[in-house]
Amino acid sequence: MAAEIHSRPQTARPILLNKIEGHSDAVNAAVLIPKEDGVITVSEDRTIRVWLKRDSGQYWPSIYHTVSSPCSCMSYHHDSRRIFIGQDNGAVVEFLISEDFNKMNHVKTYPAHQNRVSDMVFSLESEWVVSTGHDKSVSWMCTQSGSMLGRHYFTAWASCLQYDHDTQHAFVGDYSGQITLLKLEKQTYSTITTLKGHEGSIATLWWDPVQRLLFSGASDHSVIMWDIGGRKGRTLLMQGHHERVQAIRYLQLTRQLVSCSADGGMAVWNMDTQREEAPQWLDSDSCQKCEQPFFWNIKQMWDTKTMGLRQHHCRKCGNAVCGKCSSKRTTFPIMGFEFPVRVCDACFDTIKEEDRTPLATFHEGKHNIAHMDMDPSRGLMVTCGSDRIVKIWDVTQVVGCSLATGFSSR
């Protein structure tokens, strides 16, 4: 069922410790059990499994439970051992796991959505389960009565969710590329703001309540940090992935952001450094360097008897430029560009060699990563995806050694 790979050598990359196999379909979520050598997985094969590490070093399922519909997501609360499973049919099912992790009892089924549940958070403080679904809604239900407290609809599928337990604010990402901030209350809600910055659907969110920072990953291959607490609209763009960013986690103690993408790419971003906001792209009918017309500027093309040029943008200054005036490529990590991007010739000349020093490290997970969880106190990470494989990693040397505190669990 599972293979032990090898013990933990001291290297500056994630070390694969174990590989768990046995699912017959995509594994949509996997979480590490705190203070236990165990993993909980949910899958499209309609199973919920609790894997415990045996004396042989292998992981074997101590709980193997089948439900009526494919499992799309989960929220596990370790102190109470309550687990909530989102399903493809729109239901959320609550179970209680025994202390020895060998038995699981059904508690309630919540009619949360009319379509697939995409993400979910259980709040013990308010006794709410907040969920998003492909019925284009976010709902919040009372776990004591099982009743629906409220629902809000969007114009696109709601794809991911984060929740601030103290303030009852919910961040909802959707397939249109927007993030909506809602204030949830019993029987009512209010829309605070909408965050726009991604050019593709939002795949994952992470909220750090200590620094009040929101992180988002999307199908445009980028990660954005939103400074919610600063109240100045400050955003930082980070580009280093080559595929859809599907999992992110911020480590508050070490000021590092870990992101994973669909192609198996893992990135560790140093957030404890000075970073600059990428500029907004400017609009112009002609190159802002040589003043040659772009191809839609018919009047200037006619007046000057010249052919129109294609418009590009300098990633450093945001100016609209032609290809001739932006022939150079360079990395510029301080603005989040970890691989070469287009810059105008003037900006290229201002970038020094030390400005190209990477502010992130990149690693290969060697499988599709749809979901990721971390236990910083032990330096462990678990990844899973459509290849039906669950991988457990030692990331101690990648994200720092003293991770015992300062981590905000989901």
Side-chain angles (χ1 to χ4, degrees), residues 143-180:
T143 55
Q144 293 176 324
S145 65
S147 61
M148 177 74 70
L149 297 176
R151 185 188 300 275
H152 172 73
Y153 282 95
F154 304 92
T155 58
W157 280 1
S159 52
C160 50
L161 167 73
Q162 284 286 275
Y163 181 72
D164 188 290
H165 301 275
D166 294 331
T167 64
Q168 295 183 333
H169 284 100
F171 301 89
V172 181
D174 65 37
Y175 270 70
S176 73
Q178 297 184 8
I179 302 169
T180 304

Side-chain angles (χ1 to χ4, degrees), residues 89-107:
N89 62 8
V92 171
V93 186
E94 178 185 355
F95 295 93
L96 180 64
I97 300 177
S98 63
E99 288 188 32
D100 59 5
F101 294 97
N102 285 314
K103 187 178 180 181
M104 189 168 70
N105 293 318
H106 175 263
V107 178

Side-chain angles (χ1 to χ4, degrees), residues 152 154-156 159-162 169-182 190-208 212-218 220 222-236 248 277 280:
H152 172 73
F154 304 92
T155 58
S159 52
C160 50
L161 167 73
Q162 284 286 275
H169 284 100
F171 301 89
V172 181
D174 65 37
Y175 270 70
S176 73
Q178 297 184 8
I179 302 169
T180 304
L181 172 56
L182 301 168
S190 55
T191 303
I192 306 301
T193 189
T194 301
L195 307 176
K196 300 178 182 180
H198 284 288
E199 297 179 358
S201 59
I202 311 297
T204 180
L205 294 172
W206 184 263
W207 169 245
D208 175 50
R212 304 196 66 75
L213 300 174
L214 179 70
F215 298 88
S216 58
D220 59 6
S222 68
V223 176
I224 295 180
M225 186 205 82
W226 311 82
D227 187 0
I228 304 298
R231 299 178 180 271
K232 295 180 179 179
R234 180 171 178 258
T235 61
L236 296 178
I248 50 178
E277 289 188 70
Q280 294 290 322

Side-chain angles (χ1 to χ4, degrees), residues 316 328 330 343-352 355-356:
K316 186 176 186 295
K328 306 291 180 60
T330 183
V343 294
C344 67
D345 295 349
C347 285
F348 183 85
D349 293 337
T350 67
I351 299 175
K352 302 175 183 178
D355 295 333
R356 298 183 175 91

Side-chain angles (χ1 to χ4, degrees), residues 46 48 60 98 134 148-149 168 176 180 186-187 203 211 213 219 241 262-263 279 286 333 339 357 378:
R46 300 188 295 114
I48 307 161
W60 290 88
S98 63
H134 287 182
M148 177 74 70
L149 297 176
Q168 295 183 333
S176 73
T180 304
K186 290 184 178 179
Q187 311 301 332
Q211 292 186 267
L213 300 174
S219 62
H241 288 283
D263 61 357
S286 58
F339 52 78
T357 303
R378 294 180 287 173

